[in-house]
Amino acid sequence: MNYSKMTKDDFDRILYTRLNEETLQSIVNIPGVSEIVSRHFNNDTLLNEETLQSIINIPGVYEIVSRHFNNDILEAWEYEQYIKVKEIIERIELWNPEFQRTIVLLNLLNKLTEILYDTLDLKLDKYVNLRALPVREFHKETVEKYSAYPIWTCDFEGSCLVGAEKFEIEPIDLILHRFGDE
């Protein structure tokens, strides 16, 4: 898992969601927080009108609290990445070459590979069988004939998804011309 892809906004969103599950007193009881809060309020007890946000905004508290909940935050973010993968795969499975353009599929595959390769350190073929992608009926024979190119699918306009390491779109006419089969 590559956590470097997590933004500060992601971290804070998850942190504050997690903090909403806590009481103000449980936050103050985190080791190191009570000392800072006590100094901030000149050893007075917490006032009832203090909010979680006002406590977190005291210099030094955010850092301690975020370290305290770090593992929970990382786990939640990783779970979110798997949810994104699942949602993208569902959209890929719904892609229909009879009325959807290949660019839609290409964008979905690019998003999916970014999450799989760069964040989760997983391979695409574990989640998507490119050979099982639907092909416009009119282009099935060409896709099968040049599958070693590799050509994965073609849409209703003759735009084809090709490539092994990096996916691209090529017109079917260009592929046929390349192989001298016009």
Side-chain angles (χ1 to χ4, degrees):
M1 173 57 93
N2 180 358
Y3 293 105
S4 69
K5 295 289 183 176
M6 182 190 301
T7 65
K8 179 163 180 6
D9 288 343
D10 289 336
F11 187 90
D12 286 346
R13 177 183 43 78
I14 296 168
L15 173 63
Y16 286 108
T17 300
R18 178 66 178 87
L19 290 177
N20 285 331
E21 299 169 2
E22 299 290 325
T23 65
L24 193 55
Q25 193 58 51
S26 69
I27 298 300
V28 172
N29 288 339
I30 294 172
V33 172
S34 61
E35 294 82 5
I36 293 172
V37 170
S38 182
R39 278 195 312 271
H40 183 77
F41 291 109
N42 297 321
N43 292 323
D44 291 336
T45 56
L46 278 176
L47 304 172
N48 287 337
E49 59 268 4
E50 293 302 324
T51 64
L52 179 64
Q53 189 63 47
S54 67
I55 298 299
I56 296 298
N57 287 340
I58 297 171
V61 172
Y62 171 87
E63 291 77 10
I64 293 170
V65 170
S66 63
R67 273 195 309 274
H68 180 80
F69 290 109
N70 188 58
N71 287 343
D72 292 347
I73 294 165
L74 295 178
E75 186 178 294
W77 187 76
E78 182 176 354
Y79 180 73
E80 286 179 354
Q81 302 314 300
Y82 282 102
I83 295 297
K84 286 179 188 175
V85 165
K86 182 180 179 291
E87 290 170 352
I88 294 169
I89 290 169
E90 287 172 357
R91 290 181 62 202
I92 289 171
E93 289 171 348
L94 293 173
W95 181 78
N96 186 330
E98 297 297 331
F99 59 86
Q100 288 180 297
R101 291 185 166 89
T102 303
I103 189 70
V104 172
L105 180 62
L106 177 64
N107 290 338
L108 290 169
L109 286 168
N110 286 341
K111 285 180 194 174
L112 181 61
T113 55
E114 180 182 345
I115 295 170
L116 290 176
Y117 295 164
D118 298 344
T119 305
L120 298 174
D121 298 323
L122 297 171
K123 298 201 179 291
L124 178 67
D125 59 0
K126 180 178 177 183
Y127 293 90
V128 177
N129 178 356
L130 295 170
R131 287 282 164 230
L133 288 172
V135 179
R136 174 121 196 264
E137 196 63 43
F138 184 75
H139 301 298
K140 278 188 177 183
E141 187 177 306
T142 303
V143 171
E144 289 172 12
K145 183 176 181 180
Y146 298 112
S147 64
Y149 173 50
I151 178 173
W152 304 109
T153 186
C154 292
D155 67 16
F156 65 96
E157 295 179 322
S159 295
C160 302
L161 181 72
V162 300
E165 297 299 316
K166 183 179 185 308
F167 299 116
E168 297 176 330
I169 295 176
E170 285 186 24
I172 195 150
D173 294 340
L174 180 65
I175 295 167
L176 292 171
H177 180 75
R178 177 177 293 123
F179 292 104
D181 190 2
E182 298 181 60

